[in-house]
PDB file of all heavy atoms in Angstrom:
ATOM      1  N   SER I 407      30.947 -68.877 -69.469  1.00  0.00           N
ATOM      2  CA  SER I 407      30.990 -68.436 -70.866  1.00  0.00           C
ATOM      3  C   SER I 407      32.123 -67.484 -71.159  1.00  0.00           C
ATOM      4  O   SER I 407      32.541 -67.325 -72.311  1.00  0.00           O
ATOM      5  CB  SER I 407      29.658 -67.768 -71.238  1.00  0.00           C
ATOM      6  OG  SER I 407      29.450 -66.605 -70.436  1.00  0.00           O
ATOM      7  N   LEU I 408      32.637 -66.814 -70.114  1.00  0.00           N
ATOM      8  CA  LEU I 408      33.728 -65.867 -70.285  1.00  0.00           C
ATOM      9  C   LEU I 408      34.854 -66.177 -69.307  1.00  0.00           C
ATOM     10  O   LEU I 408      34.592 -66.473 -68.135  1.00  0.00           O
ATOM     11  CB  LEU I 408      33.237 -64.427 -70.048  1.00  0.00           C
ATOM     12  CG  LEU I 408      32.250 -63.842 -71.065  1.00  0.00           C
ATOM     13  CD1 LEU I 408      31.693 -62.523 -70.557  1.00  0.00           C
ATOM     14  CD2 LEU I 408      32.911 -63.663 -72.417  1.00  0.00           C
ATOM     15  N   SER I 409      36.077 -66.098 -69.785  1.00  0.00           N
ATOM     16  CA  SER I 409      37.230 -66.297 -68.912  1.00  0.00           C
ATOM     17  C   SER I 409      38.085 -65.037 -68.909  1.00  0.00           C
ATOM     18  O   SER I 409      38.292 -64.387 -69.943  1.00  0.00           O
ATOM     19  CB  SER I 409      38.080 -67.482 -69.391  1.00  0.00           C
ATOM     20  OG  SER I 409      38.515 -67.301 -70.713  1.00  0.00           O
ATOM     21  N   ARG I 410      38.581 -64.691 -67.724  1.00  0.00           N
ATOM     22  CA  ARG I 410      39.364 -63.476 -67.559  1.00  0.00           C
ATOM     23  C   ARG I 410      40.787 -63.693 -68.080  1.00  0.00           C
ATOM     24  O   ARG I 410      41.441 -64.676 -67.729  1.00  0.00           O
ATOM     25  CB  ARG I 410      39.374 -63.099 -66.087  1.00  0.00           C
ATOM     26  CG  ARG I 410      40.047 -61.784 -65.751  1.00  0.00           C
ATOM     27  CD  ARG I 410      39.746 -61.431 -64.294  1.00  0.00           C
ATOM     28  NE  ARG I 410      40.427 -60.228 -63.885  1.00  0.00           N
ATOM     29  CZ  ARG I 410      40.195 -59.578 -62.755  1.00  0.00           C
ATOM     30  NH1 ARG I 410      39.273 -60.060 -61.923  1.00  0.00           N
ATOM     31  NH2 ARG I 410      40.853 -58.478 -62.447  1.00  0.00           N
ATOM     32  N   LEU I 411      41.279 -62.765 -68.900  1.00  0.00           N
ATOM     33  CA  LEU I 411      42.612 -62.884 -69.479  1.00  0.00           C
ATOM     34  C   LEU I 411      43.634 -62.071 -68.696  1.00  0.00           C
ATOM     35  O   LEU I 411      43.315 -61.035 -68.108  1.00  0.00           O
ATOM     36  CB  LEU I 411      42.607 -62.376 -70.937  1.00  0.00           C
ATOM     37  CG  LEU I 411      41.709 -63.099 -71.944  1.00  0.00           C
ATOM     38  CD1 LEU I 411      41.842 -62.453 -73.309  1.00  0.00           C
ATOM     39  CD2 LEU I 411      42.060 -64.585 -72.015  1.00  0.00           C
ATOM     40  N   SER I 412      44.871 -62.535 -68.700  1.00  0.00           N
ATOM     41  CA  SER I 412      45.973 -61.722 -68.177  1.00  0.00           C
ATOM     42  C   SER I 412      46.354 -60.729 -69.261  1.00  0.00           C
ATOM     43  O   SER I 412      46.166 -61.009 -70.470  1.00  0.00           O
ATOM     44  CB  SER I 412      47.162 -62.612 -67.826  1.00  0.00           C
ATOM     45  OG  SER I 412      47.666 -63.246 -69.002  1.00  0.00           O
ATOM     46  N   PRO I 413      46.880 -59.557 -68.913  1.00  0.00           N
ATOM     47  CA  PRO I 413      47.221 -58.543 -69.915  1.00  0.00           C
ATOM     48  C   PRO I 413      48.108 -59.064 -71.033  1.00  0.00           C
ATOM     49  O   PRO I 413      47.997 -58.629 -72.184  1.00  0.00           O
ATOM     50  CB  PRO I 413      47.905 -57.455 -69.092  1.00  0.00           C
ATOM     51  CG  PRO I 413      47.282 -57.575 -67.739  1.00  0.00           C
ATOM     52  CD  PRO I 413      47.080 -59.055 -67.523  1.00  0.00           C
ATOM     53  N   GLY I 414      48.966 -60.024 -70.723  1.00  0.00           N
ATOM     54  CA  GLY I 414      49.845 -60.575 -71.748  1.00  0.00           C
ATOM     55  C   GLY I 414      49.108 -61.372 -72.811  1.00  0.00           C
ATOM     56  O   GLY I 414      49.646 -61.634 -73.890  1.00  0.00           O
ATOM     57  N   ASP I 415      47.857 -61.766 -72.514  1.00  0.00           N
ATOM     58  CA  ASP I 415      47.067 -62.543 -73.460  1.00  0.00           C
ATOM     59  C   ASP I 415      45.998 -61.715 -74.174  1.00  0.00           C
ATOM     60  O   ASP I 415      45.186 -62.265 -74.909  1.00  0.00           O
ATOM     61  CB  ASP I 415      46.387 -63.716 -72.737  1.00  0.00           C
ATOM     62  CG  ASP I 415      47.391 -64.747 -72.237  1.00  0.00           C
ATOM     63  OD1 ASP I 415      48.419 -64.931 -72.917  1.00  0.00           O
ATOM     64  OD2 ASP I 415      47.155 -65.332 -71.159  1.00  0.00           O
ATOM     65  N   TYR I 416      46.011 -60.401 -73.948  1.00  0.00           N
ATOM     66  CA  TYR I 416      45.030 -59.552 -74.611  1.00  0.00           C
ATOM     67  C   TYR I 416      45.229 -59.620 -76.132  1.00  0.00           C
ATOM     68  O   TYR I 416      46.354 -59.728 -76.620  1.00  0.00           O
ATOM     69  CB  TYR I 416      45.181 -58.095 -74.162  1.00  0.00           C
ATOM     70  CG  TYR I 416      44.614 -57.788 -72.792  1.00  0.00           C
ATOM     71  CD1 TYR I 416      44.202 -58.803 -71.926  1.00  0.00           C
ATOM     72  CD2 TYR I 416      44.508 -56.476 -72.345  1.00  0.00           C
ATOM     73  CE1 TYR I 416      43.701 -58.508 -70.664  1.00  0.00           C
ATOM     74  CE2 TYR I 416      44.012 -56.163 -71.083  1.00  0.00           C
ATOM     75  CZ  TYR I 416      43.614 -57.188 -70.249  1.00  0.00           C
ATOM     76  OH  TYR I 416      43.119 -56.893 -68.989  1.00  0.00           O
ATOM     77  N   PRO I 417      44.144 -59.540 -76.897  1.00  0.00           N
ATOM     78  CA  PRO I 417      44.282 -59.525 -78.364  1.00  0.00           C
ATOM     79  C   PRO I 417      44.822 -58.179 -78.840  1.00  0.00           C
ATOM     80  O   PRO I 417      44.949 -57.229 -78.056  1.00  0.00           O
ATOM     81  CB  PRO I 417      42.845 -59.738 -78.837  1.00  0.00           C
ATOM     82  CG  PRO I 417      42.020 -59.099 -77.770  1.00  0.00           C
ATOM     83  CD  PRO I 417      42.735 -59.442 -76.474  1.00  0.00           C
ATOM     84  N   ASP I 418      45.114 -58.086 -80.098  1.00  0.00           N
ATOM     85  CA  ASP I 418      45.551 -56.828 -80.704  1.00  0.00           C
ATOM     86  C   ASP I 418      44.300 -56.007 -81.022  1.00  0.00           C
ATOM     87  O   ASP I 418      43.526 -56.390 -81.898  1.00  0.00           O
ATOM     88  CB  ASP I 418      46.345 -57.120 -81.978  1.00  0.00           C
ATOM     89  CG  ASP I 418      46.872 -55.852 -82.636  1.00  0.00           C
ATOM     90  OD1 ASP I 418      46.934 -54.814 -81.964  1.00  0.00           O
ATOM     91  OD2 ASP I 418      47.211 -55.907 -83.843  1.00  0.00           O
ATOM     92  N   PHE I 419      44.086 -54.920 -80.309  1.00  0.00           N
ATOM     93  CA  PHE I 419      42.876 -54.131 -80.467  1.00  0.00           C
ATOM     94  C   PHE I 419      43.036 -53.156 -81.644  1.00  0.00           C
ATOM     95  O   PHE I 419      43.576 -52.071 -81.496  1.00  0.00           O
ATOM     96  CB  PHE I 419      42.541 -53.381 -79.175  1.00  0.00           C
ATOM     97  CG  PHE I 419      42.113 -54.302 -78.063  1.00  0.00           C
ATOM     98  CD1 PHE I 419      43.000 -54.673 -77.061  1.00  0.00           C
ATOM     99  CD2 PHE I 419      40.831 -54.813 -78.033  1.00  0.00           C
ATOM    100  CE1 PHE I 419      42.610 -55.531 -76.043  1.00  0.00           C
ATOM    101  CE2 PHE I 419      40.420 -55.676 -77.018  1.00  0.00           C
ATOM    102  CZ  PHE I 419      41.318 -56.042 -76.023  1.00  0.00           C
ATOM    103  N   ARG I 420      42.560 -53.604 -82.785  1.00  0.00           N
ATOM    104  CA  ARG I 420      42.629 -52.797 -84.002  1.00  0.00           C
ATOM    105  C   ARG I 420      41.220 -52.691 -84.588  1.00  0.00           C
ATOM    106  O   ARG I 420      40.541 -53.711 -84.780  1.00  0.00           O
ATOM    107  CB  ARG I 420      43.566 -53.450 -84.999  1.00  0.00           C
ATOM    108  CG  ARG I 420      43.889 -52.606 -86.230  1.00  0.00           C
ATOM    109  CD  ARG I 420      44.769 -53.389 -87.196  1.00  0.00           C
ATOM    110  NE  ARG I 420      46.049 -53.736 -86.612  1.00  0.00           N
ATOM    111  CZ  ARG I 420      47.131 -52.970 -86.658  1.00  0.00           C
ATOM    112  NH1 ARG I 420      47.072 -51.801 -87.251  1.00  0.00           N
ATOM    113  NH2 ARG I 420      48.260 -53.375 -86.110  1.00  0.00           N
ATOM    114  N   ASP I 421      40.756 -51.477 -84.861  1.00  0.00           N
ATOM    115  CA  ASP I 421      39.407 -51.260 -85.344  1.00  0.00           C
ATOM    116  C   ASP I 421      39.405 -50.918 -86.834  1.00  0.00           C
ATOM    117  O   ASP I 421      39.940 -49.891 -87.235  1.00  0.00           O
ATOM    118  CB  ASP I 421      38.733 -50.140 -84.543  1.00  0.00           C
ATOM    119  CG  ASP I 421      37.242 -50.081 -84.735  1.00  0.00           C
ATOM    120  OD1 ASP I 421      36.808 -49.849 -85.881  1.00  0.00           O
ATOM    121  OD2 ASP I 421      36.496 -50.254 -83.761  1.00  0.00           O
ATOM    122  N   ASP I 422      38.790 -51.779 -87.657  1.00  0.00           N
ATOM    123  CA  ASP I 422      38.841 -51.581 -89.102  1.00  0.00           C
ATOM    124  C   ASP I 422      37.973 -50.427 -89.579  1.00  0.00           C
ATOM    125  O   ASP I 422      38.097 -49.979 -90.716  1.00  0.00           O
ATOM    126  CB  ASP I 422      38.439 -52.869 -89.825  1.00  0.00           C
ATOM    127  CG  ASP I 422      36.951 -53.165 -89.712  1.00  0.00           C
ATOM    128  OD1 ASP I 422      36.424 -53.104 -88.583  1.00  0.00           O
ATOM    129  OD2 ASP I 422      36.319 -53.449 -90.738  1.00  0.00           O
ATOM    130  N   MET I 423      37.076 -49.931 -88.716  1.00  0.00           N
ATOM    131  CA  MET I 423      36.231 -48.802 -89.106  1.00  0.00           C
ATOM    132  C   MET I 423      36.758 -47.471 -88.588  1.00  0.00           C
ATOM    133  O   MET I 423      36.119 -46.417 -88.792  1.00  0.00           O
ATOM    134  CB  MET I 423      34.792 -49.010 -88.578  1.00  0.00           C
ATOM    135  CG  MET I 423      34.033 -50.131 -89.272  1.00  0.00           C
ATOM    136  SD  MET I 423      32.343 -50.348 -88.622  1.00  0.00           S
ATOM    137  CE  MET I 423      31.524 -48.840 -89.128  1.00  0.00           C
ATOM    138  N   ASN I 424      37.910 -47.505 -87.949  1.00  0.00           N
ATOM    139  CA  ASN I 424      38.514 -46.274 -87.396  1.00  0.00           C
ATOM    140  C   ASN I 424      37.510 -45.475 -86.551  1.00  0.00           C
ATOM    141  O   ASN I 424      37.434 -44.252 -86.624  1.00  0.00           O
ATOM    142  CB  ASN I 424      39.057 -45.394 -88.533  1.00  0.00           C
ATOM    143  CG  ASN I 424      40.230 -46.052 -89.241  1.00  0.00           C
ATOM    144  OD1 ASN I 424      41.082 -46.667 -88.609  1.00  0.00           O
ATOM    145  ND2 ASN I 424      40.250 -45.958 -90.554  1.00  0.00           N
ATOM    146  N   PHE I 425      36.735 -46.216 -85.774  1.00  0.00           N
ATOM    147  CA  PHE I 425      35.804 -45.678 -84.797  1.00  0.00           C
ATOM    148  C   PHE I 425      34.581 -44.979 -85.393  1.00  0.00           C
ATOM    149  O   PHE I 425      33.822 -44.338 -84.679  1.00  0.00           O
ATOM    150  CB  PHE I 425      36.511 -44.739 -83.811  1.00  0.00           C
ATOM    151  CG  PHE I 425      37.729 -45.357 -83.189  1.00  0.00           C
ATOM    152  CD1 PHE I 425      38.995 -44.876 -83.461  1.00  0.00           C
ATOM    153  CD2 PHE I 425      37.614 -46.465 -82.358  1.00  0.00           C
ATOM    154  CE1 PHE I 425      40.120 -45.474 -82.911  1.00  0.00           C
ATOM    155  CE2 PHE I 425      38.727 -47.062 -81.801  1.00  0.00           C
ATOM    156  CZ  PHE I 425      39.991 -46.567 -82.078  1.00  0.00           C
ATOM    157  N   ALA I 426      34.373 -45.119 -86.705  1.00  0.00           N
ATOM    158  CA  ALA I 426      33.149 -44.576 -87.303  1.00  0.00           C
ATOM    159  C   ALA I 426      31.938 -45.249 -86.688  1.00  0.00           C
ATOM    160  O   ALA I 426      31.909 -46.463 -86.520  1.00  0.00           O
ATOM    161  CB  ALA I 426      33.163 -44.797 -88.810  1.00  0.00           C
ATOM    162  N   GLN I 427      30.932 -44.465 -86.335  1.00  0.00           N
ATOM    163  CA  GLN I 427      29.641 -44.898 -85.776  1.00  0.00           C
ATOM    164  C   GLN I 427      29.743 -45.491 -84.374  1.00  0.00           C
ATOM    165  O   GLN I 427      28.732 -45.890 -83.807  1.00  0.00           O
ATOM    166  CB  GLN I 427      28.970 -45.914 -86.712  1.00  0.00           C
ATOM    167  CG  GLN I 427      28.560 -45.341 -88.058  1.00  0.00           C
ATOM    168  CD  GLN I 427      27.850 -46.338 -88.933  1.00  0.00           C
ATOM    169  OE1 GLN I 427      28.414 -47.350 -89.317  1.00  0.00           O
ATOM    170  NE2 GLN I 427      26.592 -46.076 -89.240  1.00  0.00           N
ATOM    171  N   ILE I 428      30.941 -45.513 -83.779  1.00  0.00           N
ATOM    172  CA  ILE I 428      31.039 -46.065 -82.437  1.00  0.00           C
ATOM    173  C   ILE I 428      30.362 -45.143 -81.418  1.00  0.00           C
ATOM    174  O   ILE I 428      29.785 -45.594 -80.431  1.00  0.00           O
ATOM    175  CB  ILE I 428      32.515 -46.333 -82.037  1.00  0.00           C
ATOM    176  CG1 ILE I 428      32.582 -47.181 -80.762  1.00  0.00           C
ATOM    177  CG2 ILE I 428      33.289 -45.044 -81.868  1.00  0.00           C
ATOM    178  CD1 ILE I 428      32.073 -48.585 -80.919  1.00  0.00           C
ATOM    179  N   ALA I 429      30.389 -43.821 -81.676  1.00  0.00           N
ATOM    180  CA  ALA I 429      29.750 -42.873 -80.759  1.00  0.00           C
ATOM    181  C   ALA I 429      28.242 -43.099 -80.723  1.00  0.00           C
ATOM    182  O   ALA I 429      27.615 -43.053 -79.664  1.00  0.00           O
ATOM    183  CB  ALA I 429      30.057 -41.443 -81.171  1.00  0.00           C
ATOM    184  N   GLU I 430      27.654 -43.368 -81.892  1.00  0.00           N
ATOM    185  CA  GLU I 430      26.207 -43.624 -81.969  1.00  0.00           C
ATOM    186  C   GLU I 430      25.829 -44.861 -81.171  1.00  0.00           C
ATOM    187  O   GLU I 430      24.872 -44.842 -80.384  1.00  0.00           O
ATOM    188  CB  GLU I 430      25.803 -43.798 -83.430  1.00  0.00           C
ATOM    189  CG  GLU I 430      24.331 -44.107 -83.627  1.00  0.00           C
ATOM    190  CD  GLU I 430      23.989 -44.360 -85.091  1.00  0.00           C
ATOM    191  OE1 GLU I 430      24.818 -44.062 -85.965  1.00  0.00           O
ATOM    192  OE2 GLU I 430      22.882 -44.867 -85.357  1.00  0.00           O
ATOM    193  N   SER I 431      26.568 -45.950 -81.354  1.00  0.00           N
ATOM    194  CA  SER I 431      26.279 -47.185 -80.640  1.00  0.00           C
ATOM    195  C   SER I 431      26.512 -47.019 -79.135  1.00  0.00           C
ATOM    196  O   SER I 431      25.759 -47.557 -78.322  1.00  0.00           O
ATOM    197  CB  SER I 431      27.139 -48.323 -81.193  1.00  0.00           C
ATOM    198  OG  SER I 431      26.735 -49.556 -80.669  1.00  0.00           O
ATOM    199  N   THR I 432      27.537 -46.274 -78.789  1.00  0.00           N
ATOM    200  CA  THR I 432      27.832 -46.020 -77.374  1.00  0.00           C
ATOM    201  C   THR I 432      26.687 -45.249 -76.713  1.00  0.00           C
ATOM    202  O   THR I 432      26.264 -45.572 -75.589  1.00  0.00           O
ATOM    203  CB  THR I 432      29.140 -45.232 -77.228  1.00  0.00           C
ATOM    204  OG1 THR I 432      30.222 -45.981 -77.790  1.00  0.00           O
ATOM    205  CG2 THR I 432      29.446 -44.941 -75.764  1.00  0.00           C
ATOM    206  N   THR I 433      26.188 -44.243 -77.395  1.00  0.00           N
ATOM    207  CA  THR I 433      25.076 -43.450 -76.867  1.00  0.00           C
ATOM    208  C   THR I 433      23.848 -44.320 -76.610  1.00  0.00           C
ATOM    209  O   THR I 433      23.181 -44.179 -75.572  1.00  0.00           O
ATOM    210  CB  THR I 433      24.721 -42.306 -77.842  1.00  0.00           C
ATOM    211  OG1 THR I 433      25.850 -41.445 -77.980  1.00  0.00           O
ATOM    212  CG2 THR I 433      23.522 -41.512 -77.338  1.00  0.00           C
ATOM    213  N   LYS I 434      23.554 -45.220 -77.523  1.00  0.00           N
ATOM    214  CA  LYS I 434      22.392 -46.094 -77.351  1.00  0.00           C
ATOM    215  C   LYS I 434      22.576 -47.042 -76.175  1.00  0.00           C
ATOM    216  O   LYS I 434      21.626 -47.316 -75.437  1.00  0.00           O
ATOM    217  CB  LYS I 434      22.150 -46.888 -78.626  1.00  0.00           C
ATOM    218  CG  LYS I 434      21.816 -46.021 -79.838  1.00  0.00           C
ATOM    219  CD  LYS I 434      20.622 -45.127 -79.590  1.00  0.00           C
ATOM    220  CE  LYS I 434      20.285 -44.271 -80.791  1.00  0.00           C
ATOM    221  NZ  LYS I 434      19.162 -43.315 -80.494  1.00  0.00           N
ATOM    222  N   THR I 435      23.801 -47.529 -75.991  1.00  0.00           N
ATOM    223  CA  THR I 435      24.073 -48.398 -74.846  1.00  0.00           C
ATOM    224  C   THR I 435      23.878 -47.629 -73.536  1.00  0.00           C
ATOM    225  O   THR I 435      23.282 -48.145 -72.578  1.00  0.00           O
ATOM    226  CB  THR I 435      25.493 -48.976 -74.927  1.00  0.00           C
ATOM    227  OG1 THR I 435      25.556 -49.887 -76.028  1.00  0.00           O
ATOM    228  CG2 THR I 435      25.869 -49.711 -73.662  1.00  0.00           C
ATOM    229  N   LEU I 436      24.360 -46.403 -73.493  1.00  0.00           N
ATOM    230  CA  LEU I 436      24.190 -45.584 -72.291  1.00  0.00           C
ATOM    231  C   LEU I 436      22.720 -45.251 -72.046  1.00  0.00           C
ATOM    232  O   LEU I 436      22.284 -45.158 -70.895  1.00  0.00           O
ATOM    233  CB  LEU I 436      25.017 -44.300 -72.405  1.00  0.00           C
ATOM    234  CG  LEU I 436      26.521 -44.485 -72.209  1.00  0.00           C
ATOM    235  CD1 LEU I 436      27.268 -43.178 -72.504  1.00  0.00           C
ATOM    236  CD2 LEU I 436      26.840 -44.941 -70.779  1.00  0.00           C
ATOM    237  N   ASP I 437      21.962 -45.068 -73.115  1.00  0.00           N
ATOM    238  CA  ASP I 437      20.515 -44.835 -72.955  1.00  0.00           C
ATOM    239  C   ASP I 437      19.883 -45.983 -72.177  1.00  0.00           C
ATOM    240  O   ASP I 437      19.037 -45.755 -71.303  1.00  0.00           O
ATOM    241  CB  ASP I 437      19.843 -44.720 -74.332  1.00  0.00           C
ATOM    242  CG  ASP I 437      20.145 -43.394 -75.025  1.00  0.00           C
ATOM    243  OD1 ASP I 437      20.648 -42.476 -74.349  1.00  0.00           O
ATOM    244  OD2 ASP I 437      19.882 -43.305 -76.236  1.00  0.00           O
ATOM    245  N   TYR I 438      20.290 -47.206 -72.502  1.00  0.00           N
ATOM    246  CA  TYR I 438      19.764 -48.370 -71.804  1.00  0.00           C
ATOM    247  C   TYR I 438      20.279 -48.415 -70.367  1.00  0.00           C
ATOM    248  O   TYR I 438      19.490 -48.589 -69.419  1.00  0.00           O
ATOM    249  CB  TYR I 438      20.153 -49.644 -72.533  1.00  0.00           C
ATOM    250  CG  TYR I 438      19.951 -50.902 -71.733  1.00  0.00           C
ATOM    251  CD1 TYR I 438      18.675 -51.412 -71.526  1.00  0.00           C
ATOM    252  CD2 TYR I 438      21.037 -51.569 -71.159  1.00  0.00           C
ATOM    253  CE1 TYR I 438      18.474 -52.559 -70.762  1.00  0.00           C
ATOM    254  CE2 TYR I 438      20.852 -52.721 -70.409  1.00  0.00           C
ATOM    255  CZ  TYR I 438      19.568 -53.214 -70.211  1.00  0.00           C
ATOM    256  OH  TYR I 438      19.386 -54.341 -69.459  1.00  0.00           O
ATOM    257  N   LEU I 439      21.580 -48.284 -70.181  1.00  0.00           N
ATOM    258  CA  LEU I 439      22.173 -48.413 -68.844  1.00  0.00           C
ATOM    259  C   LEU I 439      21.690 -47.334 -67.888  1.00  0.00           C
ATOM    260  O   LEU I 439      21.577 -47.559 -66.680  1.00  0.00           O
ATOM    261  CB  LEU I 439      23.695 -48.387 -68.940  1.00  0.00           C
ATOM    262  CG  LEU I 439      24.353 -49.597 -69.603  1.00  0.00           C
ATOM    263  CD1 LEU I 439      25.847 -49.357 -69.793  1.00  0.00           C
ATOM    264  CD2 LEU I 439      24.115 -50.863 -68.792  1.00  0.00           C
ATOM    265  N   ASN I 440      21.363 -46.165 -68.425  1.00  0.00           N
ATOM    266  CA  ASN I 440      20.899 -45.068 -67.575  1.00  0.00           C
ATOM    267  C   ASN I 440      19.453 -45.251 -67.121  1.00  0.00           C
ATOM    268  O   ASN I 440      19.004 -44.593 -66.193  1.00  0.00           O
ATOM    269  CB  ASN I 440      21.026 -43.729 -68.316  1.00  0.00           C
ATOM    270  CG  ASN I 440      22.471 -43.268 -68.432  1.00  0.00           C
ATOM    271  OD1 ASN I 440      23.297 -43.602 -67.608  1.00  0.00           O
ATOM    272  ND2 ASN I 440      22.760 -42.509 -69.471  1.00  0.00           N
TER     273      ASN I 440
END
């Protein structure tokens, strides 16, 4: 389902929300992983 990319094929990492609410979602993911 997933294929590993070479760095030259990476997409353009641009976030349209300017990282708003990413900290909240990150915290919830860590809650699960921990």
Side-chain angles (χ1 to χ4, degrees):
S407 62
L408 292 171
S409 58
R410 185 170 177 169
L411 299 180
S412 63
D415 293 326
Y416 283 10
D418 182 18
F419 291 100
R420 189 184 298 272
D421 194 298
D422 72 311
M423 290 180 67
N424 294 320
F425 308 113
Q427 295 182 297
I428 193 67
E430 178 184 347
S431 189
T432 300
T433 298
K434 297 304 180 185
T435 292
L436 285 173
D437 286 346
Y438 166 74
L439 291 173
N440 287 333

